[in-house]
Every structure is written in C-alpha cells, then in structure tokens.
Amino acid sequence: MHEHRKPRTPRANAVWAVVITSMAGFIAALDNLIVTTALPSIRKDLGGGLEDLEWTVSAYTLTFAVLLMFGASLGDRFGRRRLFAIGLAIFTAASAAAALAPGMSELIAARAAQGVGAAIVTPLTLTLLAAAVPAERRGMAFGVWGAAGGIAVATGPLIGGTLTEHLSWQWIFWVNVPLGLALIPLALLRLDESHGPNPSLDLVGTVLVSGGLFGIVYALVRGNAEGWTSTPVLGGFFAGAAMLVGFVLYELRAEHPMLPMRLFRHRSFSAINVASLLMFLGMFGAIFLLSQYLQTVGGYSPMEAGVRMLPWTAMPMIAGPLAGALSDRIGGAPVVTAGMALNAVGLGLWALAVEPQVSYTSLLPALIVCGTGMGMFFAPSANLVMSTVRPEEQGIASGANNAIREVGGAVGVASLAAVFSAQGGYGSASLFVDGLVPALWVGAGAVALAAAVALGMSRDRKAEDPGMDLPAGDAVADVPVAT
C-alpha cells in the first residue's frame, strides 16, 4: 500500500501548487485594474477630487512595484510558504478595510496595504510553483499560472463594472476576502516550505531599489497631472535614477546582495527582463486607452465595454497552457518572440481600424490577435526567467522580473496617455481617435522592439547559465527544485 501511494504524492503536491499559486496570482493581478470602472461610484459615495481618485489606483501600483523585490527577499529569508500566507493575510485584511472605508483617505491607505500584501504574494507564487513541479512539467504549470494572471488583467474592468452596477463598489474589494480566507490554510497545509541562500536581509539594497522605483513610478504617474517639467516630477525622476544607480553600485559590492548583478551577465535573463518591460509598456498603455475608447467613443457602459473585451480575455486562457506546453518542446524564446510579435500586429490592427464611427466586428481581429499574443507571452517568459538562475535564486529573479513588469506598465500608461493628450482629447469622438491612433502606434512600436530583443535571446541556455557551477546536470531548467 505504501509503495502504491508514494508516487502519487509529488503529483498531488504539484496540482495543489498550481491551484493555490494561480488563484493567489489571479486576485493580486485583478486588483491592478478592477478599481478603474468603479471610480465614478466611489467618488459619488465618498467624495474627493480627481487626485484622490488617481491615488486610489496609484497607491496600489506604487507599493506593489517598489516592494516586490523586498517581498521575494523576505520569503528567501524567513520561509517562502510562511511569507506567502502572511502576504495573503495582509492582502485579505486590506481588502476588507477598503470595502469598509468611510472616506477617501482610508480607502487610499487600504489600497496601499493591499499593494504590500500583493508584493509579498506575487513573486512567491512562482518560486513555490517551481519548487513543487518537476522541471519537465514546469512549462505547462507556468502556462496555467500565466493564463490566470492574463485573465485577471483582462477581466479587471469587466468584473469591476459588473459588481459596481449590480451590487456596489464595495464588492470589488469584498470579493477578495473569501478567496484569501480559503487560500491561507490551503497554502499552509499543501505547500512545502523552502528558503533562499541569504542569511540576512539586504536592507540597504531594499531601501535604495524601493526608493528609486518609487521616485520614477511616482513621477510617471503624476507627470500628466503636474507637468513633466514640474519640480516634483523632475525631482522624482532624478532622485529615483540616482538611487537606482546607487543600488547597482551597492549590489556589486554587497556580501549578500538582494539582486546579484552577475545574473544580468546571462543574456537570456537580461533580454527577457528588457522585453518584459517593453511588452508591459505597450500593452498596459494600450489597454488603459482602449477600454476608455469603447466607453467614450463606442458609448458602452463599463460592463458592456468589458463584455466586448472578452475575445481578448478568452484567448490567454486558451493560448497560455498551449504556449507553456509548446515551450517545453521547442524552448521559451521562440514562443515569447512570436507572442510579442502578435501583440505588435494586434495593436497595429487597432490603430488601422479605430474611427469615430466603426462597427465592433471591425475591431474583433485586433482583439483576438492581441489576446493570443498575451497568452503566448506570460507562461514562457516566466519559465525563461526561472530557468536562467539557480533554484535558490528563483525568488530574487521572480521579484526582479515582476517589479520590472510593473514599472513597464506604469511607464506605458503615462507615456501613451501623454501621446494621447498631445494629439487629441475627450472633447469629441474624432478628437479622441486623433489622440488614440498615434498612441497605439507608439505601443505597437514598443512591443515590436520587445519582440526584437526576445529574438536575440540565446537558445543555448546552459552555455552561460549563472548556475553552471552546480553539480552535474546543472541547468536550473533540468533540476527538480522540490521536495
């Protein structure tokens, strides 16, 4: 009996890991965009000006982006499963606090706390998943995880609009609470504990990178509102850049660095991070404007606009697992490259199709192509990041990649919105399209550049793997991390 049950345990562990980490990643990613369609209702209920509404969105984005690497480091130091559960508890409690917020100040504070919880949870989803799934199955597992994240991003406005219209805006936060309460005990019971190599936290590095990313993201978020040459915005850019340079210099000399700079000597690691930044720049900036296009020019309600985004939403669910399985067979680099190229084509199709008076069916090809491209990007890109570092450094690599993605998204929203404002506006349908078209071409260009960067990734990962001094069979992609 014992002999019969033993082989099934690793598979059960892997299945539970996929379910738990995908659900956790889903709710963390969902809160990036779920609040956007509820903002008018929140303002009507709680009051506040435009800046308060912006900070309702930005408080989450900022804390999420700047604390991602610290979250990964905490998991490496104190135990990834333990910190994963703590992060879920923070996120769940903050979600309840947001739903109960009596005013805008309290809501903004709760959103910032949500970002803290998400910053701990998100990088640990990948390391816990990698620890439970054998290397030869990891592509498919990352495919499911990537599809969950992609669907969360795409359905955020739809779910937010639906809950706000049919229940109340508080339910966009209440929906997280039962999910969080269910995931915490499951994580503690079904996931194995693991640690990273660092015996102490890199507090100086954490302060430098967090401060640097905060300065730059803050400047990007506030640039359109305060002016790109205003003192706070320029100060954010310069101080942020200076702290990031300081971070790199410090990490080169630190005994136990949070982000070993030698990881970037691996061409695939550097390339996938640059490509991820450019990909999120183009796609998030485009999603931000296209959802408004459907409402402002198309005349749809938030929920109706979300429904019409479903072809984009559904494709990552189909393409994600397939892309993960394909990457196991031919490698992640060609799949990621093809996905980014499809995204660039999709955004170009949008730019060619949008007009003040255009039928929804004319936009469908662009939606489907973009959705397929997104699904092909998420899973293989995660696998590429994890397969270029040693098992004990996967938390560090995951945190870095997620932080770079978030910063890319913030850059995209700010830069494409700036192009839109310079060329058009909200005064009329034709004026909106005048601003949207050049913004979409900028987004398409960024994603096309991402595809070019991905194309340059080395196919022979073992040749220059940072983990090459591991024992025989050493490439991380070939080493089962778990057990």
Side-chain angles (χ1 to χ4, degrees), residues 38-49:
L39 289 175
S41 298
I42 292 173
R43 184 179 183 184
K44 183 178 179 182
D45 196 8
L46 299 183

Side-chain angles (χ1 to χ4, degrees), residues 145-201:
W145 172 89
I151 291 166
V153 169
T155 58
L158 169 60
I159 294 172
T162 302
L163 292 173
T164 301
E165 282 188 31
H166 295 289
L167 295 170
S168 69
W169 66 263
Q170 285 89 348
W171 279 93
I172 66 176
F173 301 116
W174 281 128
V175 73
N176 294 327
V177 175
L179 291 172
L181 291 176
L183 286 172
I184 292 167
L186 280 176
L188 293 173
L189 290 170
R190 298 292 182 179
L191 298 177
D192 292 326
E193 186 60 283
S194 61
H195 294 77
N198 290 347
S200 61
L201 289 173

